[in-house]
Amino acid sequence: MVKSSSELHRVALELLDRRGVKLEDIAELVHYLQKPYIKELTFEMCLDHVRSVLLKREVQNTILTGIQLDILTEKGLMEQPLQDIIREDEGLYGIDEILALSIVNVYGSIGFTNYGYIDKVKPGILKKLNSHEGDEVHTFLDDIVGAIAAAAASRLAHDNPEISDIMK
Ligand code: MG
């Protein structure tokens, strides 16, 4: 049976919260990305765009899938060699980045630049998710959070077409 979008939305938000990611953390990343381009940008505007991105089914599906893989790995339930690859967040794996691209794709090409940039700089919550402290596994979550922020930043740019040329 096809799940309703509102149910997927609820579960996706719950999962993010359970894994220690607040929508405000993602809004902060959007603010970081877009502040240089939009003078009148407020935190509330960023949060609004994050909320809108999370209404998309593609985004919800990616959150459910990626976080599930993190959780199963954390519990040691994946088969080898994938268990070790995901637990160790092996640099050459790359499927975590690819999965998150399905979020970036939703809002077109501006998102790619933001996604690549934020993945390199790792501001705010991304630094925390990447610290590999303790037994927590966030191999998929860090890319998902970066992708949601990049998608929200693209959405903002589309709403402010005068800045979208600068950002390409
Ligand atoms: Mg990753």
Side-chain angles (χ1 to χ4, degrees), residues 43-60:
F43 182 77
E44 207 44 53
M45 281 162 74
C46 297
L47 195 54
D48 277 351
H49 283 276
V50 169
R51 287 201 182 101
S52 300
V53 169
L54 290 166
L55 291 172
K56 292 266 182 192
R57 187 178 276 260
E58 298 94 322
V59 177
Q60 297 157 0

Side-chain angles (χ1 to χ4, degrees), residues 89 96-97 119 130 138-143:
D89 198 3
D96 41 347
E97 282 97 356
D119 183 49
N130 254 285
H138 297 308
T139 298
F140 282 87
L141 182 59
D142 64 337
D143 300 290

Side-chain angles (χ1 to χ4, degrees), residues 96-107:
D96 41 347
E97 282 97 356
I98 300 291
L99 183 75
L101 279 179
S102 58
I103 294 176
V104 181
N105 271 337
V106 176
Y107 293 100

Side-chain angles (χ1 to χ4, degrees), residues 24-122:
E24 287 78 8
D25 298 326
I26 310 179
E28 252 170 44
L29 297 177
V30 180
H31 196 265
Y32 174 85
L33 281 171
Q34 294 301 74
K35 188 63 193 164
Y37 306 105
I38 308 172
K39 260 203 216 86
E40 63 279 14
L41 184 67
T42 64
F43 182 77
E44 207 44 53
M45 281 162 74
C46 297
L47 195 54
D48 277 351
H49 283 276
V50 169
R51 287 201 182 101
S52 300
V53 169
L54 290 166
L55 291 172
K56 292 266 182 192
R57 187 178 276 260
E58 298 94 322
V59 177
Q60 297 157 0
N61 284 333
T62 305
I63 292 171
L64 263 62
T65 307
I67 291 182
Q68 182 69 210
L69 290 169
D70 280 347
I71 291 173
L72 290 175
T73 305
E74 215 167 86
K75 292 180 174 168
L77 293 174
M78 301 291 275
E79 289 187 10
Q80 292 295 7
L82 209 48
Q83 171 68 34
D84 287 349
I85 291 172
I86 298 177
R87 172 169 288 286
E88 284 153 28
D89 198 3
E90 211 176 85
L92 293 175
Y93 177 56
I95 307 301
D96 41 347
E97 282 97 356
I98 300 291
L99 183 75
L101 279 179
S102 58
I103 294 176
V104 181
N105 271 337
V106 176
Y107 293 100
S109 61
I110 297 172
F112 289 98
T113 320
N114 283 325
Y115 180 57
Y117 177 69
I118 212 166
D119 183 49
K120 271 227 147 31
V121 183
K122 298 196 195 313

